[in-house]
Amino acid sequence: MQTDDLTGDDLVGVLATLANPHRMRVLAALAGGRNYVSQLARELGISRALLQVHLKRLEKAGLVSATLELSEDGKAMKFYEVTPFELHLTPQALAAAALTLTDPNDVEKD
């Protein structure tokens, strides 16, 4: 993923996702290589439930991906890894992305 590949709405979503310190720490931990949820939670000193919330948000933004694997003892282990991305923010990139933003008046309210 690169800045040029993102619509304005996608870019807003990625930046909002990155604006959380827990998610930045998760990405920093995964930058060293893939890891499974329990080990990652121990390394970060947060609960697995809280980690899962942040991992789901990172996955939705396209910043991490997950694979389910079986351990030798038959336990299901979900591994996460960083999806390669590069964000290069310039005034010109932001201006181009702004042209593709959804008009808030066109979005249906829940």
Side-chain angles (χ1 to χ4, degrees):
M1 166 191 340
Q2 292 189 358
T3 310
D4 294 345
D5 300 333
L6 300 173
T7 66
D9 294 332
D10 292 338
L11 182 57
V12 167
V14 168
L15 294 176
T17 300
L18 292 172
N20 181 285
H22 286 298
R23 290 191 283 269
M24 285 184 66
R25 288 184 187 100
V26 170
L27 280 176
L30 291 174
R34 70 187 203 120
N35 207 339
Y36 63 99
V37 173
S38 295
Q39 179 63 33
L40 192 55
R42 283 191 293 274
E43 288 177 11
L44 295 171
I46 61 175
S47 71
R48 287 185 306 176
L50 179 60
L51 177 59
Q52 288 285 7
V53 168
H54 292 299
L55 285 167
K56 284 180 185 176
R57 182 81 187 263
L58 288 163
E59 191 172 19
K60 182 179 178 188
L63 299 170
V64 301
S65 60
T67 54
L68 195 59
E69 298 179 18
L70 290 178
S71 65
E72 292 178 10
D73 62 357
K75 277 183 161 177
M77 299 173 68
K78 196 165 192 178
F79 282 86
Y80 284 87
E81 62 187 331
V82 174
T83 302
F85 67 91
E86 183 175 328
L87 300 176
H88 185 77
L89 298 178
T90 64
Q92 294 79 15
L94 293 175
L99 294 173
T100 66
L101 286 169
T102 303
D103 184 342
N105 297 320
D106 293 341
V107 178
E108 289 184 29
K109 305 273 190 235
D110 289 331

